[in-house]
Amino acid sequence: MVTITISGVDKSGALARISVFLVRKGYPLKGQQITESASGAKLVRITLDLAQVDKTKLAAEIKSLSPDYSVVSVEGAQSGVPSIKEIAAQFPDIAPLVQAYGESFGSDTRDRELVEAGKKIGAFHYEKEWSFGSPLKMPVALRRTLVPALAQFGKVEATDTEIKLPDSAFCAAGKTGCCEFLTGFMQGFLGAGPLTQNTRVKKVACRANGDAQCTYTVSYDL
């Protein structure tokens, strides 16, 4: 089975319109539903009775139905797309899984979905490994908990307000940049702490854009 997820479906009747269109194109439908992404966007999810599908061809066909529609992910036995639960279970060796997860989305939604996935895994990792003992305030929490957590992915350079990753595995040369996952991871990790919930993380430089390293700013109220 292959499940495709389509965005741009805010208008009523989108599910029926897409389903009828796919049937007429010869795709064997097994199920369909309206759902929401992690960021709250309305989506259509349709399951096809196929072992695999040509994503490029399918995306073009869906776009021909309406310029508003976009195939944002393809999941199934042959798609190689891991779930957030599967990524969390492999922590910290997750860069290849995050790469596969990010590449399953279109460029218009990829960064947003990576941030949301990162938030979930960051919060999960904090609760599992760092939530014991007395809660820490910023910037002590950054130095004593967040930096050691990030160091499991590779080299980290940090001040009280900035984090640099010189060789981030989430932004490897020749591959789709997925370092917004780390924006979400840091945000979710710090957001799970009772005294660091108002911390804000923002990516300000990225190797994928030609910068020397991936850099994030961290702002908070003392």
Side-chain angles (χ1 to χ4, degrees), residues 19-174:
S19 297
V20 170
F21 176 79
L22 290 174
V23 169
R24 289 175 176 173
K25 286 287 185 178
Y27 291 97
L29 269 63
K30 291 293 289 185
Q32 55 271 330
Q33 67 177 132
I34 294 287
T35 184
E36 289 186 353
S37 70
S39 56
K42 194 174 182 181
L43 304 169
V44 160
R45 287 174 61 85
I46 296 179
T47 301
L48 306 175
D49 190 10
L50 294 170
Q52 57 187 346
V53 68
D54 184 334
K55 182 179 177 181
T56 301
K57 176 175 177 288
L58 177 62
E61 290 175 336
I62 292 296
K63 186 68 70 173
S64 72
L65 177 61
S66 170
D68 295 331
Y69 298 159
S70 178
V71 175
V72 296
S73 71
V74 178
E75 305 167 67
Q78 302 299 320
S79 69
V81 181
S83 66
I84 292 177
K85 183 177 180 180
E86 289 170 336
I87 296 173
Q90 296 298 317
F91 190 94
D93 302 317
I94 61 174
L97 297 177
V98 171
Q99 191 77 43
Y101 182 82
E103 289 176 351
S104 73
F105 295 97
S107 59
D108 56 336
T109 61
R110 182 180 298 120
D111 285 351
R112 182 171 67 246
E113 296 299 335
L114 284 168
V115 168
E116 294 302 323
K119 285 181 180 179
K120 292 180 180 179
I121 292 176
F124 174 79
H125 184 61
Y126 174 86
E127 294 291 346
K128 181 181 178 182
E129 302 290 343
W130 299 93
S131 61
F132 306 102
S134 301
L136 300 174
K137 296 181 179 180
M138 294 293 286
V140 177
L142 184 151
R143 298 194 299 268
R144 294 187 183 177
T145 62
L146 179 60
V147 169
L150 291 172
Q152 296 178 82
F153 300 137
K155 184 179 179 182
V156 181
E157 299 173 359
T159 67
D160 288 351
T161 58
E162 187 177 72
I163 293 174
K164 295 182 178 180
L165 304 170
D167 53 0
S168 172
F170 299 92
C171 195

